[in-house]
Amino acid sequence: MDWYFLYSFIYGLLFGSFFLVVGFRLPLRKPFLWERSACCHCHTPLKFYELLPVLSYIIQRGRSRCCKTHISVLYPFMELLTGSLYAFCYINIGIKWELLGALLLVSLLMIVLVSDLKFMVIPNQLLLFFLPFIILVDNIILKKPFMDSFIGAAAGFGVVGMMILISNGGMGAGDMKLFGLLGWMLGMKLVLMTLFLACTFGAVIGGLLLLTRRIDRRQPVPFVPYIAIATIISYFYGNPLYMWYASFY
Ligand SMILES: [Zn+2]
């Protein structure tokens, strides 16, 4: 039994549960560290056993204990997703400093995903909060050249910025800043691949949703789910994908 696998999954579940709190409270400018979690319907403070990731949801059959309000399936989903991604990072990287960089990337994506799904915003404070940690892990511990990070950030920020100017809609300033930060972490080559993949997924899946009339043409659609999938693919498979693509020429 690989205990680290289990640990990474369980840590992911717990962090996922915390990321939900951060992602929900940050855009509302509510404190998220010292305030206890409460039922969003009747505001009864939650007991510790009501905060167990996934388990509480299953035991309570998707309803709160206090007033039997329906709990969004987003909670267990985000917890499981974070747990699975943490375990996935561990399996792919092992116990190395690089793992810290990958966990930082996944954590950023998960919080942004929560805020985007709930409020359609990417909080600035969140991106600013992550920046020093990213510099510490990527540039100081892992010794990635600052110039590469800077060029990556400029590429992500600049290309999305141009796309916003040209297309006049679709992506917003939040996406531009997020891509700047992703560029810092991924470098120019991989951030451009991320952007390409995200737009492709967005066009294909968005197109299917439109065709099947699950969404309306005027309805704004969260773009971060596509960015998150694209980032994880580029981060873990970007270089092999480039080699495969280059082998055709
Ligand atoms: Zn309640």
Side-chain angles (χ1 to χ4, degrees):
M1 176 78 202
D2 185 350
W3 289 103
Y4 283 115
F5 175 77
L6 194 65
Y7 290 153
S8 50
F9 181 69
I10 293 172
Y11 271 108
L13 290 180
L14 294 170
F15 271 100
S17 171
F18 176 63
F19 296 161
L20 278 156
V21 175
V22 179
F24 280 163
R25 294 189 186 176
L26 203 53
L28 301 174
R29 298 181 181 279
K30 278 198 205 167
F32 50 82
L33 277 182
W34 315 118
E35 200 167 286
R36 279 184 64 189
S37 290
C39 170
C40 48
H41 188 67
C42 71
H43 306 290
T44 310
L46 297 181
K47 302 260 172 21
F48 75 93
Y49 53 79
E50 292 170 89
L51 293 168
L52 297 172
V54 187
L55 286 178
S56 301
Y57 185 86
I58 296 171
I59 295 167
Q60 294 162 210
R61 297 195 188 139
R63 289 179 184 280
S64 67
R65 284 174 69 91
C66 38
C67 58
K68 305 287 169 218
T69 307
H70 182 75
I71 302 171
S72 167
V73 76
L74 191 64
Y75 285 87
F77 172 77
M78 286 305 300
E79 289 159 352
L80 274 178
L81 184 64
T82 313
S84 311
L85 285 172
Y86 271 38
F88 178 80
C89 291
Y90 163 69
I91 288 179
N92 276 276
I93 299 170
I95 302 293
K96 286 187 210 159
W97 282 112
E98 205 191 327
L99 180 62
L100 211 55
L103 294 180
L104 213 51
L105 180 67
V106 167
S107 305
L108 169 70
L109 290 173
M110 291 302 104
I111 305 176
V112 171
L113 188 58
V114 171
S115 285
D116 192 49
L117 289 176
K118 179 85 179 172
F119 305 106
M120 300 269 301
V121 292
I122 299 175
N124 278 332
Q125 312 98 293
L126 183 68
L127 304 180
L128 285 172
F129 174 82
F130 267 86
L131 185 62
F133 291 102
I134 290 166
I135 293 175
L136 176 70
V137 173
D138 280 359
N139 304 100
I140 296 171
I141 297 176
L142 294 171
K143 299 190 172 66
K144 226 182 267 177
F146 265 95
M147 204 51 184
D148 290 1
S149 302
F150 187 77
I151 293 171
F157 190 86
V159 175
V160 174
M162 272 193 291
M163 287 169 74
I164 294 172
L165 281 180
I166 295 166
S167 69
N168 171 29
M171 280 189 280
D175 299 301
M176 180 170 72
K177 289 174 236 168
L178 176 63
F179 265 100
L181 198 55
L182 291 176
W184 189 280
M185 290 196 254
L186 299 170
M188 184 172 81
K189 192 172 80 173
L190 294 183
V191 78
L192 293 180
M193 178 187 267
T194 302
L195 182 59
F196 171 75
L197 289 176
C199 292
T200 309
F201 295 152
V204 172
I205 299 170
L208 282 173
L209 291 175
L210 266 180
L211 275 178
T212 53
R213 292 173 194 276
R214 281 180 199 277
I215 51 170
D216 194 89
R217 188 170 289 279
R218 284 150 300 179
Q219 185 184 340
V221 199
F223 191 53
V224 173
Y226 307 119
I227 301 177
I229 301 169
T231 307
I232 291 180
I233 293 176
S234 314
Y235 185 83
F236 286 100
Y237 305 106
N239 287 316
L241 267 176
Y242 255 108
M243 305 241 250
W244 174 77
Y245 181 74
S247 68
F248 290 98
Y249 294 94

